[in-house]
Amino acid sequence: MNGKHIVLGITGGIAAYKAASLVRLFVKAGAEVQVIMTPNAKEFITPVTLSTLSGKPVISEFFTANTGQWNSHVDLGLWADAMVIAPATASTIAKMANGVADNMLVTSYLSSRAPVFVAPAMDFDMMRHPTTCRNIELLRSYGNHIIEPATGELASHLVGKGRMEEPEKIFETVRDFFQSPLTMKGKRVLVTAGPTRERIDPVRFISNYSTGKMGVAIADAAARRGAEVTLVLGPSEVRPQHSGVDVINVESAREMLEACQTHFPGCDIAVMTAAVADYTVANPAEHKIKREGNRPPVIEFVQNPDIAATLGACKKPGQILVGFALETDNEENNALDKIRRKNLDFVVMNSLRDHGAGFATDTNKVTIFNRDGSSQAFQLKSKMQVAEDILDAVTKVE
Ligand code: C5P
């Protein structure tokens, strides 16, 4: 945990007193901890205790009252390598699940790109209420890590599920996340991600709805496992979090192909998640196309190179090539046909028919089809978890 930046969110539950031990565990392991408390949390534990243990003033409000200093939720969100919310009350969980940004903690949560760990703590009946269950499931589906509460005697003296997991367990969960075994150390991984843009003229292009989230999650996951990762990324707002990912920004399918041809020969594994435009404009205009009378312009398209197939054609023994397929129908046949045509080792298929799968969501529901016709269907999961499943499948390729 050395040098890791942890934002520890503490909310107003009796388990807040345990957050003091959690701060100590992180600090002892070498992490820097910034505590954010909700106003109610201060009723349960004093900010002085937590600022003393963390060595940093606790943040609770958007402004520091006596100096007028603005506490930037955006800066905090970007500073964090991980956010840990412990204890997380039913109220904070509901706000997080629904984007109610009425305090510094939830606002920072919404601004953060870091992995988030949520340790719920509440009374037994609140914990099992369908609203709470749904909110926790929503948080999980957005890629947050839920550290399940333990069962035992609660502050209300009721016995049941709802007691915040012990600080040692919470600490270990976060530590293990950062120390995932380096099973891909020494491997070189190439990932393509995002859409491509094909220029019509200097101000216009055709593209698609891909955000690049799935490919970026795979690049991050491979880097966490110790691989050297090159990410060839089409125009995308999403950025990898791991410093071990080398990003090559490209725009068109041609540029993406060139970057891949440079890096594929030296790589062990290539995962093609990019949504490459199938066609590009035959003759992009040098100047902006003007509206002329009532005659709409006619744009001629030509086929783009198939990057996956090009790499598949020169794949050497030992290299693993993984493709994606996004289908609306006849999924299995299309997936198997793609494996053959592009010389892939397996295809990760997502269907636009599945709710929560495909473009722009933080979740995905995939089925992996292998060369031998076997397949494995996965549940709806966060893209971060789907990335881990795909890398697990890569390690099983003979
Ligand atoms: O043929 P289809 O576009 O459905 O295949 C999808 C797979 O092929 C994805 O892995 C995608 O990244 C890759 N692909 C490519 N170059 C293209 C088209 C698709 O690499 N021109």
Side-chain angles (χ1 to χ4, degrees):
M1 299 286 313
N2 215 4
K4 287 274 180 277
H5 294 168
I6 307 292
V7 167
L8 176 62
I10 304 176
T11 72
I14 185 65
Y17 78 93
K18 293 187 183 174
S21 316
L22 194 50
V23 174
R24 266 188 66 73
L25 287 165
F26 282 128
V27 169
K28 261 176 71 182
E32 274 188 58
V33 180
Q34 174 62 63
V35 173
I36 306 181
M37 298 176 85
T38 60
N40 279 343
K42 291 192 261 182
E43 303 289 334
F44 293 91
I45 183 168
T46 78
V48 177
T49 307
L50 297 160
S51 60
T52 307
L53 292 174
S54 66
K56 284 183 195 297
V58 164
I59 294 176
S60 185
E61 313 292 339
F62 291 104
F63 298 94
T64 308
N66 46 0
T67 63
Q69 182 195 321
W70 181 50
N71 297 314
S72 165
H73 54 91
V74 176
D75 290 350
L76 261 180
L78 295 180
W79 176 84
D81 291 310
M83 258 191 112
V84 182
I85 299 170
T89 56
S91 165
T92 291
I93 288 171
K95 288 180 187 179
M96 289 166 68
N98 294 286
V100 180
D102 67 347
N103 63 36
M104 190 63 193
L105 176 58
V106 184
T107 313
S108 301
Y109 160 73
L110 288 175
S111 308
S112 177
R113 298 182 193 164
V116 179
F117 298 81
V118 182
M122 64 195 79
D123 193 52
F124 171 60
D125 290 306
M126 289 175 91
M127 186 70 211
R128 66 177 188 165
H129 195 283
T131 308
T132 311
C133 295
R134 192 202 56 194
N135 287 334
I136 289 179
E137 275 325 301
L138 269 176
L139 286 186
R140 204 192 303 273
S141 75
Y142 298 152
N144 299 291
H145 302 256
I146 307 294
I147 303 175
E148 290 290 340
T151 299
E153 188 177 346
L154 304 167
S156 59
H157 303 299
L158 287 173
V159 175
K161 188 175 171 182
R163 200 167 69 185
M164 186 178 87
E165 188 49 282
E166 291 305 322
E168 289 74 14
K169 281 271 176 59
I170 298 174
F171 166 74
E172 282 164 15
T173 306
V174 181
R175 185 199 57 194
D176 291 351
F177 177 82
F178 285 113
Q179 287 180 346
S180 54
L182 301 180
T183 47
M184 294 180 84
K185 196 155 181 61
K187 298 279 182 214
R188 277 168 299 179
V189 177
L190 172 69
V191 182
T192 66
T196 64
R197 272 183 193 169
E198 311 299 327
R199 272 170 72 138
I200 296 171
D201 69 14
V203 295
R204 303 181 179 95
F205 56 82
I206 58 160
S207 190
N208 58 62
Y209 288 118
S210 168
T211 58
K213 280 183 182 172
M214 190 65 246
V216 170
I218 291 172
D220 270 330
R224 276 202 302 276
R225 292 182 183 208
E228 251 177 70
V229 184
T230 303
L231 172 67
V232 181
L233 184 61
S236 164
E237 298 289 311
V238 188
R239 291 281 166 273
Q241 302 192 348
H242 201 290
S243 54
V245 180
D246 187 21
V247 182
I248 300 176
N249 292 297
V250 295
E251 195 168 295
S252 64
R254 277 251 150 242
E255 286 173 23
M256 189 173 271
L257 174 68
E258 276 168 30
C260 287
Q261 283 177 317
T262 305
H263 288 88
F264 184 64
C267 86
D268 304 290
I269 299 152
V271 186
M272 309 276 101
T273 69
V276 184
D278 287 325
Y279 296 95
T280 191
V281 178
N283 297 303
E286 258 181 57
H287 302 286
K288 184 180 167 193
I289 300 172
K290 300 267 181 337
R291 206 171 345 163
E292 274 170 21
N294 290 328
R295 263 211 355 259
V298 175
I299 297 169
E300 194 189 333
F301 290 103
V302 288
Q303 205 151 22
N304 258 332
D306 188 317
I307 302 170
T310 309
L311 302 186
C314 59
K315 190 171 84 172
K316 300 216 176 62
Q319 281 187 308
I320 297 171
L321 182 61
V322 177
F324 266 68
L326 182 66
E327 301 290 349
T328 52
D329 57 271
N330 208 6
E331 287 92 346
E332 180 165 354
N333 280 347
N334 287 334
L336 295 175
D337 177 56
K338 227 157 280 200
I339 291 180
R340 273 190 299 274
R341 275 193 294 117
K342 307 192 188 207
N343 194 19
L344 305 171
D345 289 273
F346 65 83
V347 152
V348 183
M349 206 271 311
N350 37 79
S351 171
L352 276 186
R353 282 195 287 194
D354 286 323
H355 184 67
F359 291 135
T361 64
D362 286 314
T363 53
N364 208 354
K365 186 169 185 305
V366 303
T367 305
I368 291 182
F369 288 95
N370 301 302
R371 285 179 85 94
D372 62 6
S374 62
S375 65
Q376 189 181 5
F378 295 86
Q379 298 295 314
L380 183 72
K381 295 183 179 191
S382 71
K383 284 188 173 168
M384 240 147 62
Q385 285 159 337
V386 173
E388 299 292 346
D389 289 338
I390 292 167
L391 293 183
D392 286 346
V394 164
T395 60
K396 289 187 193 127
V397 174
E398 304 279 296

